[in-house]
Amino acid sequence: MTRADVAVIGGTGFYSFLDDPEEVAVETPYGAPSSPLAVGTVAGRRVAFLPRHGADHAHPPHGINYRANAWALRSLGVRQVLAPCAVGGLRDTVAPGDVVVPDQLVDRTHRRIGSFVESGAVHLPFADPYCGRLRETVVSAGDGIADGGTMVVVEGPRFSTRAESQHYAAQGWDLINMTGAPEAALAREMRQCYAAIALVTDMDAGVEHGSGVGQEEVFARFRENLERLKGLLADVVAALPDPDGCSCSGWADGINLTYEVP
Ligand code: ADE
């Protein structure tokens, strides 16, 4: 059976990562993931690549089967997840083209299934939604990568109004995105280490004086930075620490998990 240690979940504009991958179709108790998994080797590590929106971007942010994606990756053995994503910047400390490794998350989504827990007392710790060790590895892997920031995740698929954008910025939040939740919490439930790698594609509607953000801008900016992002990911994979002993899996020790971690 095909196995992998590490996953890269590609976001908007990021649909392939590996040379000559093996394609693995996985069925899960939650349905099919966004696409078959592509599995290959990077820096001696087995890596599974999953395009979050599907290979042809069939799944909008609110239509992604986040549980199937997380379960499918774990079923191959994945314990470390790198999650690149396109984000808007909410304040002028960031600019399009910047890569930021957020350390906090605000979940403003409201119609997604955000947990595997369907019964029993299972309350996962989530004060720090991202794996500290993975975050550190990403920040150290390249020059000029911003360390920390709060990413608010909105339901989409529409972009925010100017008033919403200004409101989010006034809360002190830095980045905005449509897919970071519930992906991070589901990874924690799957006892995986998870880090988001945010590529700033636009300045949302608040800082802009023009007509606000549109999807062409997001896609174009992502395309311009894709090769740089792939290079960074390859360097990160080569430098990943051993997942053993990390609190991202240890939180569930002694807890009666009422769902299957494959
Ligand atoms: N993804 C990229 N840019 C975004 C924005 N401005 N708002 C929400 N999600 C985004």
Side-chain angles (χ1 to χ4, degrees):
M1 190 198 149
T2 305
R3 305 286 293 170
D5 312 305
V6 178
V8 173
I9 305 181
T12 295
F14 190 173
Y15 308 113
S16 71
F17 178 55
L18 301 161
D19 297 329
D20 200 20
E22 178 187 349
E23 194 173 286
V24 185
V26 182
E27 264 312 308
T28 86
Y30 307 96
S34 296
S35 92
L37 308 182
V39 181
T41 302
V42 176
R45 309 286 304 269
R46 295 297 285 165
V47 177
F49 177 77
L50 174 61
R52 186 183 283 119
H53 296 278
D56 51 2
H57 207 111
H59 309 290
H62 61 292
I64 292 170
N65 189 339
Y66 292 95
R67 288 200 300 184
N69 286 353
W71 199 97
L73 292 173
R74 181 71 213 211
S75 75
L76 293 195
V78 166
R79 292 176 63 200
Q80 295 175 312
V81 180
L82 301 167
C85 55
V87 303
L90 294 172
R91 51 185 63 251
D92 55 17
T93 49
V94 295
D98 286 0
V99 175
V100 184
V101 184
D103 61 349
Q104 278 298 321
L105 169 70
V106 175
D107 183 358
R108 281 292 174 88
T109 65
H110 51 81
R111 54 176 173 132
R112 304 179 184 188
I113 303 176
S115 178
F116 292 102
V117 180
E118 288 171 350
S119 66
V122 182
H123 303 284
L124 54 148
F126 206 51
D128 296 304
Y130 302 113
C131 173
R133 298 201 300 176
L134 241 56
R135 288 190 62 259
E136 217 175 285
T137 309
V138 180
V139 170
S140 314
D143 290 332
I145 297 175
D147 182 1
T150 297
M151 181 165 83
V152 56
V153 184
V154 296
E155 185 63 41
R158 67 170 178 81
F159 290 111
S160 303
T161 65
R162 289 184 203 283
E164 287 166 337
S165 190
Q166 284 160 10
H167 170 70
Y168 300 142
Q171 304 312 301
W173 304 336
D174 305 289
L175 308 168
I176 183 165
N177 154 273
M178 297 180 196
T179 56
E183 199 172 83
L186 291 168
R188 180 71 50 88
E189 287 189 358
M190 284 286 112
R191 308 183 70 166
Q192 292 164 317
C193 298
Y194 177 100
I197 304 174
L199 175 71
V200 181
T201 53
D202 56 271
M203 294 308 290
D204 204 47
V207 189
E208 290 246 320
H209 300 291
S211 53
V213 57
Q215 78 179 48
E216 308 74 35
E217 184 183 357
V218 170
F219 276 86
R221 227 16 53 67
F222 206 91
R223 223 176 6 253
E224 280 165 27
N225 289 282
L226 184 55
E227 289 312 310
R228 184 165 67 98
L229 195 57
K230 286 183 179 178
L232 171 66
L233 284 160
D235 292 344
V236 171
V237 169
L240 282 173
D242 187 336
D244 281 347
C246 190
S247 59
C248 298
S249 55
W251 72 269
D253 291 348
I255 293 180
N256 176 28
L257 293 183
T258 52
Y259 54 90
E260 182 198 13
V261 177

